[in-house]
Amino acid sequence: MLDRNKYFPNYQKIYPELIDRPDILKFLNQSDQKIKYMEVDLKQNEFIQDLDKKVAILLPSKEDSLERLQEEEHCQFPDEQDIEAQMLTLEEIDRLYVFIAGLEKDEQELLFLRYWKELTQTEVAKYFSVSQPTICYREKRILQKLKRLMEE
């Protein structure tokens, strides 16, 4: 259990002359709280229990060691295969940008509204003053066109 005297001594008894200096007493108490946090709170696991949901969670300590992470096979950096896969994905994204740039302006705008602005087909239809099925058809046609280009 926490040694109350170690982390929160009675500074007024230890330093009677500080009775007239509440600012210094406040600073000393804040320092003690920081020391307790660094020495105790960071290193202790925390058990949280929610009786309403019937859930119990053990939160690991906030201080983590490289050795423990390695034992549990956590990986800070992905292995080389993942880097290669990431590079291939980036290359595909670059190709996709090139193909999108080659589309007509209204096709680019439709994709922008649907996928970047996340508008529904109905909202895009109102924007272009056409029906929703027309937008559905155009979108499908544009995506098929991009898919064909990407597969070449």
Side-chain angles (χ1 to χ4, degrees), residues 110 114 120-122 124-126 128 130-140:
L110 189 144
R114 284 287 290 137
T120 64
Q121 288 182 346
T122 306
V124 174
K126 287 179 186 175
F128 282 109
V130 295
S131 68
Q132 181 270 328
T134 302
I135 292 299
C136 182
Y137 172 76
R138 288 180 186 174
E139 181 180 347
K140 186 184 250 185

Side-chain angles (χ1 to χ4, degrees), residues 95-96 99 103 107 140-152:
R95 286 181 59 220
L96 182 61
F99 295 140
L103 295 174
E107 293 174 329
K140 186 184 250 185
R141 194 186 75 230
I142 294 167
L143 293 176
Q144 287 172 347
K145 184 184 209 180
L146 288 173
K147 184 177 180 182
R148 269 194 323 274
L149 291 169
M150 291 294 289
E151 288 174 351
E152 289 178 356

Side-chain angles (χ1 to χ4, degrees), residues 46-143:
E46 187 176 348
F47 184 74
I48 298 175
Q49 186 175 6
D50 187 350
L51 296 176
D52 295 335
K53 296 180 181 177
K54 297 180 181 177
V55 176
I57 301 171
L58 179 67
L59 297 175
S61 67
K62 296 175 186 102
E63 181 178 76
D64 229 336
S65 68
L66 178 61
E67 292 79 18
R68 188 189 69 77
L69 292 173
Q70 288 173 336
E71 285 172 9
E72 294 180 7
E73 297 181 5
H74 290 281
C75 183
Q76 182 175 3
F77 302 105
D79 59 9
E80 291 180 19
Q81 291 175 348
D82 287 345
I83 291 173
E84 289 175 18
Q86 289 175 2
M87 291 304 297
L88 289 173
T89 302
L90 289 174
E91 287 175 8
E92 285 182 346
I93 291 171
D94 288 342
R95 286 181 59 220
L96 182 61
Y97 280 137
V98 169
F99 295 140
I100 290 173
L103 295 174
E104 295 177 22
K105 293 296 178 196
D106 63 330
E107 293 174 329
Q108 290 178 15
E109 193 169 13
L110 189 144
L111 291 178
F112 175 76
L113 293 171
R114 284 287 290 137
Y115 296 98
W116 277 267
K117 292 291 186 174
E118 298 180 351
L119 298 180
T120 64
Q121 288 182 346
T122 306
E123 293 169 329
V124 174
K126 287 179 186 175
Y127 178 84
F128 282 109
S129 301
V130 295
S131 68
Q132 181 270 328
T134 302
I135 292 299
C136 182
Y137 172 76
R138 288 180 186 174
E139 181 180 347
K140 186 184 250 185
R141 194 186 75 230
I142 294 167
L143 293 176

